[in-house]
């Protein structure tokens, strides 16, 4: 049996996935989690063959959880299953140690087949997303530029961002200016929107 855990914050979606995979004769769902922190705890306890993670979850997201699981549960192969097929997310997921990246609108039979392929040692990437990631190129934003843009996303003032990130206001302005230029945006709101659309923040 291929032992799988699921991490998905929407209970109905998580339950549906568990039920669908439970119909497969060679796949057993051995744990479920509603966020990234729970996923790490469940993975450490269950020691599954495969962890299926959503990206957008409260608290620790799927990409962060992926890196932690691959580090602390070495035998577990991580698959990302998401609604958000963004090129930057694919790149980040691969860097975090994921071996598969699929979008949720794939047919259920493809998910089971992908789990079997991953368990056999293969990588499985949604082909359209792989092509988009190659054409998009690498994330142009530095780590600090990503931090500042993420902090600016809720409309925080320069002072609020500076305080939250322990930076001077001038440094925050410089990072925002640089991020705006790199995303070819007119202002920080547009820079946040463009960076999110690419999966850069």
């Amino acid at each position: 049996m291929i032992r799988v855990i699921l991490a998905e914050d929407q209970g109905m979606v998580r339950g549906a996935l568990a039920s669908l995979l439970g119909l497969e004769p060679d796949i057993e769902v051995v744990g479920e989690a509603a966020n990234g922190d729970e996923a790490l705890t469940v993975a450490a306890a269950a020691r599954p063959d495969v962890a299926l993670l959503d990206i957008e979850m409260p608290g620790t997201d799927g990409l962060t959880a992926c890196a932690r699981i691959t580090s602390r549960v070495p035998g577990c192969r991580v698959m990302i299953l998401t609604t958000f097929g963004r090129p930057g997310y694919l790149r980040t997921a691969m860097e975090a140690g994921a071996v598969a990246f699929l979008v949720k609108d794939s047919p259920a039979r493809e998910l089971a087949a992908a789990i079997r392929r991953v368990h056999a040692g293969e990588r499985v990437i949604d082909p359209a997303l792989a092509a988009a990631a190659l054409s998009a190129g690498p994330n142009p934003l530095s780590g600090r530029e990503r931090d500042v843009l993420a902090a600016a996303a809720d409309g925080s003032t320069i002072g609020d961002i500076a305080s939250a990130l322990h930076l001077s206001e001038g440094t925050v302005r410089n990072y925002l200016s640089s991020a705006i230029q790199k995303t070819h945006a007119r202002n920080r709101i547009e820079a946040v929107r463009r960076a999110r659309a690419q999966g850069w923040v």
Side-chain angles (χ1 to χ4, degrees):
M1 293 291 280
I2 303 170
R3 303 173 76 254
V4 176
I5 66 164
L6 303 173
E8 159 67 59
D9 63 316
Q10 295 179 33
M12 191 176 290
V13 174
R14 189 172 66 249
L17 283 171
S19 297
L20 284 168
L21 293 176
L23 297 173
E24 301 294 328
D26 56 343
I27 296 173
E28 180 186 8
V29 177
V30 296
E32 297 181 29
N35 58 54
D37 293 319
E38 283 182 20
L40 181 57
T41 301
V42 170
R47 297 282 162 175
D49 300 306
V50 176
L52 195 57
L53 309 180
D54 184 23
I55 289 181
E56 298 280 336
M57 293 188 287
T60 301
D61 64 30
L63 297 175
T64 305
C66 172
R68 291 176 182 170
I69 289 171
T70 53
S71 168
R72 297 185 204 175
V73 190
C76 179
R77 294 172 66 77
V78 177
M79 299 176 65
I80 299 293
L81 182 66
T82 183
T83 306
F84 304 99
R86 295 172 181 162
Y89 280 169
L90 172 58
R91 213 173 271 276
T92 305
M94 296 298 110
E95 289 168 0
V99 294
F101 197 107
L102 301 169
V103 288
K104 286 182 183 174
D105 59 4
S106 305
R109 66 181 179 279
E110 286 185 18
L111 176 59
I115 289 172
R116 293 184 186 102
R117 289 174 60 193
V118 161
H119 185 248
E122 294 181 44
R123 283 184 180 269
V124 182
I125 310 294
D126 178 88
L129 189 57
L134 286 172
S135 64
N139 186 343
L141 302 173
S142 70
R144 266 310 193 188
E145 287 165 353
R146 290 196 298 271
D147 291 343
V148 168
L149 267 190
D154 64 358
S156 294
T157 65
I158 298 288
D160 291 338
I161 297 168
S163 177
L165 298 179
H166 309 291
L167 299 170
S168 72
E169 292 190 14
T171 301
V172 168
R173 284 191 186 90
N174 289 341
Y175 281 132
L176 279 174
S177 175
S178 178
I180 288 166
Q181 285 182 327
K182 288 179 178 179
T183 55
H184 306 291
R186 290 169 296 186
N187 53 51
R188 64 178 173 161
I189 311 283
E190 187 176 315
V192 168
R193 184 175 53 75
R194 290 188 175 193
R196 279 184 168 168
Q198 290 294 329
W200 291 335
V201 293

